[in-house]
Amino acid sequence: MKRLALFRCCVTSLRLQHYESATNAVLGALGVVFEDVAEFGCCGYPLKNFDLKAYVLSAARNLALAEKKYLDIMTSCNCCYGSLKQAQKLLDEDLGLLRDINGMLSKEGLYYRGQVKVFSVLEVYHDLLSAGAIQKRLTATYDGLKVAVHDGCHLLRPSNVVAFDHPLAPKKFDALVALTGAQSIPWAKKLECCGSPLSGVNDALAENLGRAKLDSARQAGADLVCVICPYCQIQFNWIQDRAAQSGQTGGMLTSLYYHQLLGLCLGIDAQRLGITAQQLQATGLQRALRSVAKAAAAETSSAA
Amino acid sequence: MIETVLLYLALAVFAAGSVYRISAWFRHDIRTGSPPASPQARFGAALKGIAATIFSPRLFTLIRVFVMDVLLQRRLLQRSPYRWVMHICLYGGFMILLLLHAMDGLITAKLFSNYQSTANPYVFIRDFAGLLVIVGVVMAVRRRFFAAPPRLRTGKADTVLIVILAVVLLSGFVLKASKITSHTSYLDMVDVYATAFDEEELNTLEAYWVDQFHVVSPNMTGPFDRETLQAGEELHAMACAECHAKPNWAFTSFAVAKAGKRFALRLDELNFPVLMWWLHYLACMLGLAYVPFSKMFHFFTTPLSLMTNAVMDKQTASPANMATKQMMELDACMHCGACSLACSVGVTVAEVPNEFILPSEKIPAIRDLAADNPLTADQVHLLQQGLHLCTSCNRCTEACPAGIQLTDLWFAVKETILQKGLPEFLLLSPLSVHRGVGARQAADIEHYQSPLQTALGAASTGGLAALRQTPQPLVVPGNEKVFNTAARWMQPEAYAACYRCMTCTSACPVVRDTPDEAHKLGLLPHQIMYAVKLRQWDLIFDSRMLWDCVGCYQCQEQCPQSVQVADVLYVLKNQAISRAVAREFAGDRKGVQ
């Protein structure tokens, strides 16, 4: 495994203060060595509507930066992941585009050769680390916690670009959630979009899409929704805030990002993970958490 | 006499300019929708806020920030050690020269009773400080003109400051150098301090000064015999030594003097030291008068911005004070370019021809906007686009050595400029997420919705409705920027395999969640694909479906015939926007209110 550069998403700094600290804490606890590349910029995703070439340029600059430092990229955001991988595919297939983009990058001493690999952080956990390697570091697991796993669009689709998991029957994220002892439950709208791309464009539709998802998860009996993508997290937080403001139960279901869920099992402080006391209450996380040592002791004593 | 008049004139311009510039902080507001407050009220609120801060524990925060960020410039050191060294040289050297040399009568002479501009340590310190500034200027020139990182923009204001500093410093060194070798200057001093000596004594003194102080005399050249020099040295000790250090102590000027020794006599005849003094003095006076109208004003505003932002809480601050602070921040920018180097979408200026994408380039235009200076529709459109082509990643704010809260500034100006009513197509992209998520706090829902409606309206051609009434000739795309792969997606052949099974439309969550979808969305995904095949562009660009697409790729994933449905929608959105921009802003130089 080449050394990894952590590609952080632009939207976290203003709206998800603890996303970065939770990610850092979990990667540290799992012993995943990564570098921060200060020069990284936008992955290009939000520019796709406006100018595809500007999108590819923005993505390619990051790819070339990682290549220059002999790093592979690890993203914690689905949109960054899908965007960087699609840019790679376009640059691989379109020599004219590659020439144009490299012409623009050369002004800052960069050149994209196509040597860099882009991983989702989930891919790193599932495919590069082994389940055992994660398991042996767990200090606690959940007992009886039901989780609605939300992969998010760009982790799965288009599957010929991202190729992370089966686009219609994904299993990897579920397996990673199951490592924590939580149960990944089936739910009807699991593969649907969270609605975030329409936030600020068509808010009513964005809200409907997101609320339908949370309702579906709640009806399936989930204690919480688990996401990896910050856009999805922002969206679900927003739906929840709206529901709380209007006093409706529709849309009321806590969403946590995977690093928060896993972090508690690695013995990381809830505060550092950005999990509020209210969230610990509402999701039943605290109640479900069992120390591994105690569980093992209980098992031995019952066996004896 | 005339120099005193010039000094007071320069001070008057400086004072008037400063008052004018500072008054703008209270006269203008970059935000709309905030309750209007009179300049007087805002001035009062600012004074109250300052007083409340000074008489509270936050005073210690102010002191800490003043030491760490203003004096030691910690923020700059964290970002770029090169710039820190450059700036410490410039500012450290400049401050020493200002206090010890330029204001010596007011400060140095009062503090040190033995002060003489020609005595040590003052000679050495002055020369050393001057050298520091020169080192800083050289580093700045290298950074701006020889090793400029991409996206660092250098404007007239940056060059002017470098030129003024260079002229002041170089003329200072040359002045000092010419005085070292000047025989006239020597005689002037003799006339004042050596009146008691007879001619023979004066000759030995002159010999001593030619030999030891490098005066170039028309009467004599070395080498001299030991007796003469010894006699001269005794006289020197009597009349001069007390307030005259050896010229070697002004080491930079001394080096210049030695290099120019060959021309010294000729230059002295031309009264060169006097000319140089005037050049030096005039450059200083010009610089002083120019301060409030240049980026030199950041001497005052940058510390103010750093300290204000350290103690001002934007949650609790009054709207009047926020307005004043943001106006002040616009003046705290010294156009160093740190924000543009850190900007996460800065690279796109290579593809999107709009300098306002770069944070550092927006500031002057925003100042114009706040002052209601007339802007053309093109300028407003470009600034608006630059403001919206922003992921709100906050890196500019983190990078700014002046501590300007740039992200807050962008949010405020974005809403202000949208109210001018020009369409902004970037609102129809995920870049709107912060606007959307923040909107629930915005009470003014009309201000929120109308820019979206304007953009949607401008993006559509009205083709669908028109075509339903009267058939029209079809529009074929011409010069849209589409790269090969994207163009291939758009070829009619790409749809040869499509048998209109409607899987894309059935898979679409937007279609499913939109009641009365055919009416609301216009063409549905499978119809858009077919319309591309038929080259019915106007019908497509008139379909809300384009802008309601979430880009979830369900359509493309599930298409049994591998049509790139979602990616084609992206190309179509690009084309709709570039056509609408061309239509709306084609060479439009009209003013916008």
Side-chain angles (χ1 to χ4, degrees), chain B residues 83-100:
Chain B
R83 282 196 55 211
W84 183 79
V85 172
M86 175 192 98
H87 197 257
I88 286 289
C89 284
L90 283 171
Y91 133 96
F94 183 87
M95 286 309 282
I96 294 172
L97 287 176
L98 179 71
L99 300 176
L100 175 124

Side-chain angles (χ1 to χ4, degrees), chain B residues 317-333:
Chain B
S318 72
N321 277 340
M322 278 302 283
T324 306
K325 185 201 83 160
Q326 291 197 315
M327 283 309 302
M328 180 269 285
E329 285 183 318
L330 291 175
D331 279 350
C333 170

Side-chain angles (χ1 to χ4, degrees), chain A:
Chain A
M1 177 160 90
K2 249 201 261 182
R3 288 181 308 148
L4 294 168
L6 181 56
F7 193 82
R8 300 180 189 272
C9 174
C10 289
V11 295
T12 55
S13 64
L14 285 191
R15 306 254 169 222
L16 287 179
Q17 274 82 4
H18 289 92
Y19 196 93
E20 305 297 348
S21 62
T23 304
N24 292 350
V26 169
L27 287 169
L30 291 179
V32 178
V33 182
F34 66 91
E35 274 180 42
D36 261 311
V37 178
E39 298 93 329
F40 273 158
C42 171
C43 68
Y45 161 72
L47 306 175
K48 284 173 84 173
N49 276 11
F50 173 67
D51 188 332
L52 282 170
K53 207 164 166 187
Y55 141 62
V56 177
L57 172 65
S58 197
R61 178 171 169 273
N62 298 310
L63 297 167
L65 274 167
E67 272 184 6
K68 196 175 181 182
K69 293 173 185 277
Y70 300 100
L71 298 167
D72 279 339
I73 290 176
M74 164 171 66
T75 72
S76 54
C77 164
N78 287 357
C79 300
C80 301
Y81 177 64
S83 158
L84 293 175
K85 291 203 84 160
Q86 188 177 25
Q88 283 191 302
K89 187 154 189 287
L90 289 168
L91 290 165
D92 283 351
E93 289 173 354
D94 192 332
L95 286 177
L97 178 66
L98 180 68
R99 201 175 43 235
D100 277 8
I101 296 289
N102 271 334
M104 291 187 253
L105 290 180
S106 66
K107 284 176 199 143
E108 47 188 302
L110 293 173
Y111 193 86
Y112 175 68
R113 291 186 172 75
Q115 311 271 308
V116 59
K117 285 205 185 82
V118 176
F119 299 106
S120 162
V121 70
L122 296 180
E123 210 169 1
V124 171
Y125 297 156
H126 192 278
D127 298 343
L128 304 187
L129 296 176
S130 65
I134 298 177
Q135 219 144 24
K136 72 169 192 235
R137 292 176 197 263
L138 299 182
T139 60
T141 53
Y142 302 108
D143 186 17
L145 188 73
K146 288 181 179 169
V147 174
V149 174
H150 168 75
D151 293 83
C153 297
H154 303 125
L155 193 61
L156 300 174
R157 297 182 295 269
S159 58
N160 64 340
V161 172
V162 289
F164 168 71
D165 203 347
H166 193 290
L168 301 175
K171 293 269 176 290
K172 290 185 178 177
F173 195 2
D174 304 78
L176 289 170
V177 167
L179 274 182
T180 68
Q183 183 196 351
S184 165
I185 58 155
W187 53 304
K189 288 196 177 283
K190 176 171 175 164
L191 298 181
E192 298 284 303
C193 171
C194 67
S196 169
L198 292 181
S199 183
V201 181
N202 185 341
D203 295 284
L205 187 50
E207 192 176 350
N208 282 347
L209 290 169
R211 179 178 297 211
K213 284 213 66 148
L214 292 183
D215 284 347
S216 156
R218 210 184 49 247
Q219 279 155 20
D223 295 312
L224 63 113
V225 176
C226 184
V227 307
I228 188 68
C229 176
Y231 272 99
C232 304
Q233 178 67 20
I234 288 174
Q235 170 73 354
F236 289 143
N237 284 348
W238 178 65
I239 302 285
Q240 280 224 86
D241 289 352
R242 299 272 293 184
Q245 273 168 13
S246 56
Q248 295 162 321
T249 51
M252 286 304 277
L253 187 67
T254 302
S255 170
L256 295 179
Y257 29 102
Y258 181 61
H259 287 136
Q260 293 180 315
L261 192 71
L262 180 62
L264 284 183
C265 298
L266 290 164
I268 301 165
D269 189 43
Q271 207 170 3
R272 191 164 169 215
L273 294 167
I275 310 177
T276 62
Q278 194 197 354
Q279 285 174 324
L280 282 174
Q281 264 301 313
T283 54
L285 272 182
Q286 196 80 74
R287 281 194 304 280
L289 202 62
R290 302 270 180 279
S291 143
V292 169
K294 267 187 208 157
E299 217 165 89
T300 357
S301 67
S302 71

Side-chain angles (χ1 to χ4, degrees), chain B residues 195-479:
Chain B
T195 41
F197 301 154
D198 63 29
E199 192 142 333
E200 200 179 323
E201 283 174 325
L202 284 177
N203 274 338
T204 58
L205 183 63
E206 188 165 333
Y208 180 76
W209 270 68
V210 168
D211 190 65
Q212 292 291 311
F213 281 74
H214 299 267
V215 171
V216 178
S217 164
N219 314 323
M220 56 180 82
T221 50
F224 303 97
D225 55 61
R226 269 183 67 184
E227 287 78 49
T228 315
L229 289 177
Q230 231 154 30
E233 188 176 4
E234 277 165 30
L235 296 173
H236 168 79
M238 266 190 274
C240 327
E242 193 183 338
C243 47
H244 226 298
K246 281 216 166 178
N248 318 35
W249 284 102
F251 57 100
T252 316
S253 314
F254 183 60
V256 176
K258 280 181 89 170
K261 215 165 175 176
R262 275 196 300 150
F263 315 104
L265 265 185
R266 182 91 194 92
L267 288 173
D268 198 31
E269 278 167 29
L270 293 171
N271 236 349
F272 191 67
V274 178
L275 287 176
M276 266 300 127
W277 185 89
W278 274 106
L279 178 62
H280 186 64
Y281 191 77
L282 285 176
C284 290
M285 290 306 111
L286 199 69
L288 173 62
Y290 192 51
V291 165
F293 311 99
S294 71
K295 70 182 224 172
M296 283 183 275
F297 204 51
H298 89 268
F299 302 163
F300 309 102
T301 46
T302 298
L304 196 57
S305 161
L306 282 165
M307 290 169 44
T308 310
N309 280 311
V311 292
M312 198 159 159
D313 180 359
K314 63 185 174 196
Q315 311 298 341
T316 55
S318 72
N321 277 340
M322 278 302 283
T324 306
K325 185 201 83 160
Q326 291 197 315
M327 283 309 302
M328 180 269 285
E329 285 183 318
L330 291 175
D331 279 350
C333 170
M334 75 303 276
H335 199 252
C336 69
C339 49
S340 293
L341 301 185
C343 176
S344 63
V345 292
V347 66
T348 56
V349 284
E351 165 65 16
V352 183
N354 182 353
E355 285 290 298
F356 291 133
I357 291 170
L358 299 175
S360 59
E361 307 312 295
K362 295 192 238 267
I363 299 281
I366 292 175
R367 215 181 282 135
D368 281 341
L369 192 74
D372 280 329
N373 291 344
L375 295 167
T376 67
D378 269 357
Q379 285 171 319
V380 174
H381 159 62
L382 286 173
L383 178 60
Q384 179 172 278
Q385 186 186 60
L387 283 161
H388 282 84
L389 214 159
C390 166
T391 63
S392 307
C393 68
N394 209 36
R395 288 196 203 171
C396 49
T397 305
E398 285 160 17
C400 177
I404 304 171
Q405 299 297 300
L406 290 165
T407 310
D408 291 344
L409 215 53
W410 310 145
F411 276 126
V413 184
K414 271 191 243 188
E415 291 305 319
T416 304
I417 202 166
L418 282 175
Q419 300 311 321
K420 294 196 174 282
L422 295 182
E424 180 45 60
F425 303 104
L426 284 163
L427 283 180
L428 308 175
S429 78
L431 290 170
S432 277
V433 67
H434 292 286
R435 189 167 192 259
V437 172
R440 74 196 111 103
Q441 281 110 16
D444 195 343
I445 204 70
E446 192 200 330
H447 274 184
Y448 175 74
Q449 278 297 341
S450 66
L452 278 171
Q453 297 312 321
T454 307
L456 284 167
S460 99
T461 55
L464 194 55
L467 204 73
R468 276 176 181 152
Q469 284 168 2
T470 35
Q472 291 188 345
L474 301 180
V475 183
V476 179
N479 54 354

